[in-house]
Amino acid sequence: GNSVTQMEGPVTLSEEAFLTINCTYTATGYPSLFWYVQYPGEGLQLLLKATKADDKGSNKGFEATYRKETTSFHLEKGSVQVSDSAVYFCALSERIGGSQGNLIFGKGTKLSVKP
Amino acid sequence: NAGVTQTPKFRILKIGQSMTLQCAQDMNHNYMYWYRQDPGMGLKLIYYSVGAGITDKGEVPNGYNVSRSTTEDFPLRLELAAPSQTSVYFCASSNTVGSYEQYFGPGTRLTVT
């Protein structure tokens, strides 16, 4: 079945460091890919998305490119801030019951950014 | 817009008790979902609904029930609470077109002792 694998955390960085969180997936067909972020004590928020191969999703300085040849969707940010401290989830959509997609999530990567 | 709202935020249940987790959305989304999130794990789908009156099982439905009498509301029922149901529960909704983007509520933290 479909699955998402993302790098284990926690990841600890200093402010202004470069961030990469790796995400690879296994899927049949052509799923949409997402990064969600969960701040402490809150629900998940969509960070960015890509719906087809070679699409680049971007938001708040974060970027990820849908790479079909490597089945990857790595999250990057050039200069992290303390406010980026959160748990990041990679996810893909899959059809269920012939209808719209369920989301398959990775286990999440906790990011802590130190001043 | 309030988006997706969930009540309560926290709850402690004794083994064998029952409760209903409430979820409502004001975005007129047809699709709604219930997930559970266990520590160190991603989210797992419990039940979903593609419209009022239509529900179906997800990956981990045992011990839960749902109903969908209106587009706005999608309550999750625990009939006989067990310690294995200690988790954080998230409700989500999505539109019927596009990239299947889901909008999440703030979650309900449930402890069964």
Side-chain angles (χ1 to χ4, degrees), chain B residues 58-98:
Chain B
E59 183 182 358
V60 289
N62 290 345
Y64 307 95
N65 277 300
V66 293
S67 59
R68 184 95 182 271
S69 57
T70 66
T71 298
E72 294 77 21
D73 300 300
F74 190 41
L76 177 72
R77 178 83 177 160
L78 283 71
E79 289 294 350
L80 292 170
S84 61
Q85 293 177 305
T86 295
S87 189
V88 181
Y89 292 84
F90 289 100
C91 180
S93 71
S94 66
N95 212 332
T96 57
V97 295

Side-chain angles (χ1 to χ4, degrees), chain B:
Chain B
N1 280 354
V4 179
T5 58
Q6 293 183 238
T7 56
K9 288 191 175 182
F10 304 95
R11 183 73 185 270
I12 299 174
L13 283 182
K14 294 189 184 303
I15 294 171
Q17 286 186 319
S18 301
M19 77 163 294
T20 298
L21 282 65
Q22 301 292 343
C23 173
Q25 52 92 9
D26 62 0
M27 296 174 283
N28 201 33
H29 286 167
N30 283 333
Y31 292 77
M32 296 188 74
Y33 312 82
W34 274 105
Y35 294 91
R36 60 178 287 171
Q37 182 182 30
D38 298 323
M41 305 294 289
L43 281 71
K44 293 188 182 296
L45 183 67
I46 304 171
Y47 271 94
Y48 67 98
S49 169
V50 299
I54 306 170
T55 63
D56 209 344
K57 297 177 180 178
E59 183 182 358
V60 289
N62 290 345
Y64 307 95
N65 277 300
V66 293
S67 59
R68 184 95 182 271
S69 57
T70 66
T71 298
E72 294 77 21
D73 300 300
F74 190 41
L76 177 72
R77 178 83 177 160
L78 283 71
E79 289 294 350
L80 292 170
S84 61
Q85 293 177 305
T86 295
S87 189
V88 181
Y89 292 84
F90 289 100
C91 180
S93 71
S94 66
N95 212 332
T96 57
V97 295
S99 58
Y100 315 129
E101 173 183 342
Q102 293 185 15
Y103 296 82
F104 284 80
T108 295
R109 183 175 294 275
L110 176 67
T111 301
V112 182
T113 62

Side-chain angles (χ1 to χ4, degrees), chain A residues 32 34 36 38 42-44 46 49 51 89 93 95-96 99-103 105-107, chain B residues 31 33 35 37 40-43 45 48 50 90 94-96 99-102 104-106:
Chain A
S32 294
F34 305 85
Y36 279 83
Q38 185 179 30
E42 298 184 11
L44 278 71
L46 179 67
K49 64 184 179 185
T51 59
F89 291 92
S93 64
R95 288 192 174 274
I96 44 175
S99 302
Q100 196 189 12
N102 173 29
L103 290 178
F105 287 90
K107 292 185 178 181
Chain B
Y31 292 77
Y33 312 82
Y35 294 91
Q37 182 182 30
M41 305 294 289
L43 281 71
L45 183 67
Y48 67 98
V50 299
F90 289 100
S94 66
N95 212 332
T96 57
S99 58
Y100 315 129
E101 173 183 342
Q102 293 185 15
F104 284 80

Side-chain angles (χ1 to χ4, degrees), chain A residues 23-26 54 65-74:
Chain A
C23 172
T24 57
Y25 67 90
T26 303
D54 300 325
T65 301
Y66 189 162
R67 301 286 189 200
K68 193 171 189 301
E69 62 276 13
T70 55
T71 62
S72 64
F73 192 56
H74 305 321

Side-chain angles (χ1 to χ4, degrees), chain A residues 19 47-48 57-64 75-79 84:
Chain A
L19 169 70
L47 181 59
L48 53 83
S58 61
N59 186 28
K60 300 181 181 179
F62 291 89
E63 294 183 339
L75 182 69
E76 296 182 336
K77 186 174 185 181
S79 176
D84 293 326

